[in-house]
Amino acid sequence: MELKDLRTRIDSIDDQIIDLFRARMDIAREIAASKRESGVAVLNRSREREVLSRVTERVGEGYESYAKLLYQTIFAVSRSCQNRLIGDGGDFAAKIRAAAANTPALFPAKAVVACQGVEGAYSQQACDKLFSLPSILYFRQFDGVFQAVESGMCRYGILPIDNSSNGSVGRVYDLMRNYRFHIVRSIRLCVRHSLLAKPGTALSDVKEIFSHEQAIGQCSAFLKEQKGVKVTVCENTAVAARMVAESDRRDVAAISSAHCAELYGLEVLSDRVQNSENNYTRFICIGKEMEIFPGANRISLMLSTAHRPGSLYELLSKFASLGVNLTKLESRPLPGSDFEFVFYFDMEASVLSEDVLSMLSELAASPDLFVFLGNYQEVV
């Protein structure tokens, strides 16, 4: 048969499939009403396994895996529909609605804010862009920022989360599991690294360069060209600049910002030493309480899934069915586990959408790990 004729037959079959799908979903709605009256849970794994066994046997050899994938998607869609019909999202949805209602209309201009590092750090620069009048408390490690927010010492904290050329800040992701916080805003900061040294120092004099591991990764090409120069990791780029300024040595330099050159009385030996001119670091602003400011259009979640084939696909299908765009998927190993992971999701969505809120409520009610990190706006 001609391709055109085959496609005509496909169209006819598709019409039958969609009619049957609609009929199936209508019955699923009736089942939801029955479950609501009897208090039966939506998820019934034994029933799903029974259906999968029957349809894979019926479809015949060669198509079993395709039929399984198709019906797993149908199950996910059916469960999602039933969950939306049965309830209002429970405690999770109530907390989200309360947070959105109680959050002020404007992001605050001033607050006590925790930053990692010292004066001149990129976290401080991000903070100054988010707040017009911040009172900044500096902490040596990222842990200190989380602790200051969780304890109530600071209302907000600023943390780097990922970089456009050197990837995620793994230490921050790992610490997220240990603290209670919510993301209230994020910002993308254009980062321009420079090589700083004491006045009168030439590039050929430099024997050791200090900087943070992220900045070192972002400037790897430049550093490879510096033959015989030792590279030493320190806790922050601004700390690196201060170390050079306070050192008795004249053969040391720091990869830091041009702002730190002025701040610590150093000279710029080479500017823009990063690998890419489009070098951006994304910072998150965290708070202890959930705040959802107007214009929030990005959601971050921390999730785990069952350790079985297809579980991550089932999770991703929930977002796909709503047309939600995932902008970040980060996996981190769970310490002490046997190759189990926790997943971090960023997506373009708002909890003001009832469909999105229903999906999140469904995830919150599942037995797997679910942590709502925040619904917020990203600024540049």
Side-chain angles (χ1 to χ4, degrees):
M1 296 182 67
E2 295 290 334
L3 180 59
K4 181 180 178 181
D5 296 326
L6 292 172
R7 285 176 172 167
T8 299
R9 292 179 61 187
I10 284 285
D11 290 342
S12 176
I13 294 170
D14 283 343
D15 290 341
Q16 297 174 59
I17 289 174
I18 200 63
D19 288 342
L20 291 172
F21 174 74
R22 184 180 184 87
R24 192 185 198 282
M25 292 300 291
D26 287 342
I27 296 173
R29 293 170 68 92
E30 293 181 34
I31 291 173
S34 174
K35 288 179 177 178
R36 180 170 51 195
E37 291 178 7
S38 58
V40 176
V42 169
L43 178 60
N44 186 336
R45 288 291 185 195
S46 62
R47 167 62 178 165
E48 290 185 0
R49 282 193 293 270
E50 176 187 323
V51 174
L52 281 177
S53 177
R54 178 170 55 82
V55 297
T56 53
E57 182 177 350
R58 181 180 176 87
V59 76
E61 187 176 352
Y63 296 114
E64 297 97 329
S65 59
Y66 302 118
K68 180 180 179 181
L69 180 60
L70 171 63
Y71 270 81
Q72 284 176 333
T73 303
I74 291 174
F75 293 155
V77 171
S78 180
R79 286 197 304 269
S80 179
C81 178
Q82 290 185 37
N83 277 311
R84 291 175 202 174
L85 293 170
I86 284 177
D88 59 0
D91 291 341
F92 173 77
K95 290 178 182 177
I96 293 291
R97 293 189 179 103
N102 296 329
T103 301
L106 296 176
F107 194 76
K110 58 182 180 179
V112 180
V113 185
C115 289
Q116 185 265 343
V118 296
E119 186 73 18
Y122 288 112
S123 292
Q124 175 238 308
Q125 295 179 39
C127 179
D128 286 339
K129 286 183 176 293
L130 287 174
F131 301 92
S132 358
L133 298 167
S135 296
I136 302 177
L137 295 182
Y138 291 102
F139 296 85
R140 184 172 180 178
Q141 304 292 343
F142 293 136
D143 310 56
V145 176
F146 281 106
Q147 290 167 8
V149 171
E150 187 176 68
S151 68
M153 180 188 298
C154 297
R155 181 177 175 183
Y156 298 114
I158 304 293
L159 292 158
I161 197 73
D162 49 47
N163 175 264
S164 58
S165 60
N166 201 50
S168 301
V169 184
R171 178 61 179 159
V172 173
Y173 275 104
D174 290 338
L175 287 170
M176 283 184 177
R177 296 192 302 269
N178 303 331
Y179 296 96
R180 177 178 175 265
F181 70 95
H182 292 92
I183 303 173
V184 299
R185 187 141 295 194
S186 67
I187 183 170
R188 285 190 298 128
L189 184 70
C190 185
V191 173
R192 303 293 190 192
H193 293 304
S194 297
L195 186 68
L196 313 182
K198 287 185 175 183
T201 303
L203 181 58
S204 58
D205 298 330
V206 175
K207 303 302 180 188
E208 185 172 6
I209 295 174
F210 303 118
S211 197
H212 185 265
E213 60 184 350
Q214 273 283 326
I216 290 170
Q218 294 162 31
C219 303
S220 58
F222 170 81
L223 290 172
K224 285 180 181 178
E225 295 174 356
Q226 312 312 309
K227 305 301 183 184
V229 175
K230 180 182 178 182
V231 178
T232 300
V233 175
C234 61
E235 61 207 50
N236 187 272
T237 56
V239 170
R242 190 178 68 179
M243 287 171 61
V244 170
E246 294 176 351
S247 174
D248 294 331
R249 297 168 56 187
R250 303 194 64 84
D251 62 348
V252 292
I255 291 178
S256 188
S257 67
H259 172 65
C260 281
E262 180 181 353
L263 192 63
Y264 293 108
L266 301 174
E267 286 186 351
V268 176
L269 297 187
S270 182
D271 62 350
R272 298 190 178 182
V273 295
Q274 69 273 359
N275 297 344
S276 170
E277 284 297 303
N278 295 316
N279 188 35
Y280 288 85
T281 295
R282 181 169 167 249
F283 293 83
I284 54 173
C285 178
I286 64 171
K288 183 176 181 179
E289 305 302 326
M290 188 190 304
E291 296 178 289
I292 303 173
F293 290 94
N297 57 3
R298 181 185 292 260
I299 293 173
S300 291
L301 306 172
M302 181 165 55
L303 302 168
S304 70
T305 62
H307 198 44
R308 57 179 172 78
S311 60
L312 181 58
Y313 167 80
E314 289 180 23
L315 178 61
L316 293 174
S317 69
K318 296 179 186 296
F319 303 115
S321 66
L322 293 181
V324 171
N325 182 36
L326 294 177
T327 58
K328 179 76 183 262
L329 172 55
E330 177 83 11
S331 65
R332 304 296 298 176
L334 282 169
S337 67
D338 184 15
F339 294 103
E340 293 186 22
F341 294 84
V342 62
F343 296 95
Y344 297 88
F345 289 84
D346 286 349
M347 65 196 74
E348 294 176 343
S350 169
V351 292
L352 297 181
S353 163
E354 285 299 322
D355 285 341
V356 171
L357 185 55
S358 177
M359 176 193 67
L360 296 178
S361 300
E362 181 184 346
L363 292 173
S366 74
D368 300 318
L369 172 71
F370 172 86
V371 180
F372 178 79
L373 296 176
N375 185 195
Y376 54 95
Q377 183 180 17
E378 182 162 296
V379 299
V380 293

